[in-house]
Amino acid sequence: MKLVFAAASPFVRKVHVVLHETGLLEEVEIVPVATSPFDSPAEVVAANPLGKIPALIRDEGPSIYDSRVICRYLDDRAQAGLYPQARLWEVLTLEATADAIMEAAISIVYEHRFRPPEKVYDGWCDAQWGKIDRAVAALNARWMSHLNGPLDAGQIAVGCALAYLDFRHGERNWRKGNDALDDWFAVFAEREAMRATRPE
C-alpha cells in the first residue's frame, strides 16, 4: 500500500498515527507530495479525483480517500478495535467533531495563504474560530470520560486536531478555559505515535 502524504496535514497525521497504533506502518510506503487547493499533483489526482489528501493506494483494489474512510479500513485490516461496537456512535461523533475542528482551522490558514492581503476576510476567520472554540469547549465539558477511556479513533482524531491548533493557531490559545482537555492532551501528545508524527 502507498499513502499519499503531506506531514503538515492534520488529516494525514491522523492516518499516520493510526498506522503506528495498529502496527501497519511497515506495510505502507509513504509518498510525500506538495499540494494546495489550486495545484494538485498528478499522483494525488490519480489517487483521489478531488485532489485531496490523504489517499491510500491499495494493491488489492481502488484507492480510498477521506481520512475517516482510511482509518476505518486500517482498523478493520489490523483488527485493532479503534472503532469498538459498544461505543461506535460516540467514537464516530468524536471523530467528526475533531475533523470539523481541523476543517475550520485549515480554512483560516487558507484564507491568509491563498488570498491577497487586501481580500482576507477577518469575519470569515473569526466565524471559523467560533466553530473551533465551541467544539473545544464541548470536548472539555462533555467528552472527558470518553477521552480518558481506552484508546479509540475518536481520541486519535481529537489529539491530531488539538495538535494542529497548536501548530497553526497557537496564538489563539484553545486551552483557555479548557483545563481538563489541556491536561488530557498533555499526556496524549506524548504517546509514541503522536511523537513520531509531529510535523517539523
Side-chain angles (χ1 to χ4, degrees):
M1 295 184 290
K2 297 179 181 180
L3 179 65
V4 183
F5 180 95
S9 164
F11 295 105
V12 171
R13 186 180 186 189
K14 183 174 67 161
V15 172
H16 203 193
V17 170
V18 167
L19 285 171
H20 279 268
E21 295 286 2
T22 57
L24 293 176
L25 187 62
E26 297 302 316
E27 297 185 24
V28 177
E29 176 187 346
I30 301 298
V31 181
V33 297
T35 186
S36 81
F38 299 116
D39 183 20
S40 296
E43 61 265 38
V44 177
V45 174
N48 178 355
L50 298 171
K52 299 175 73 172
I53 54 173
L56 185 69
I57 302 168
R58 300 182 297 164
D59 301 325
E60 74 282 8
S63 299
I64 58 175
Y65 43 87
D66 187 277
S67 63
R68 278 179 273 192
V69 175
I70 298 171
C71 288
R72 287 293 294 270
Y73 172 80
L74 295 172
D75 178 65
D76 184 71
R77 185 180 179 106
Q79 294 294 292
L82 295 177
Y83 293 89
Q85 191 62 41
R87 57 183 196 280
L88 179 62
W89 303 114
E90 289 78 10
V91 172
L92 293 176
T93 300
L94 198 57
E95 186 178 12
T97 301
D99 282 5
I101 290 171
M102 296 179 200
E103 288 166 0
I106 289 171
S107 180
I108 297 171
V109 171
Y110 283 178
E111 183 72 12
H112 289 275
R113 183 173 296 169
F114 296 110
R115 284 185 183 273
E118 68 276 9
K119 292 188 177 181
V120 170
Y121 182 22
D122 290 333
W124 171 263
C125 296
D126 290 343
Q128 299 310 304
W129 188 259
K131 296 176 186 179
I132 294 167
D133 195 44
R134 292 191 299 272
V136 169
L139 293 173
N140 187 76
R142 305 174 197 165
W143 288 95
M144 293 315 304
S145 62
H146 185 114
L147 289 171
N148 285 309
L151 180 69
D152 60 38
Q155 294 173 14
I156 291 170
V158 170
C160 291
L162 297 178
Y164 188 73
L165 295 182
D166 283 344
F167 181 53
R168 293 298 193 198
H169 302 293
E171 75 287 352
R172 289 186 180 260
N173 191 18
W174 63 265
R175 291 171 170 79
K176 186 177 181 181
N178 298 299
D179 294 346
L181 188 61
D182 182 17
D183 290 344
W184 171 82
F185 180 66
V187 175
F188 192 84
E190 293 305 312
R191 290 184 70 87
E192 183 178 345
M194 291 291 288
R195 291 171 62 89
T197 57
R198 286 176 181 160
E200 295 297 330

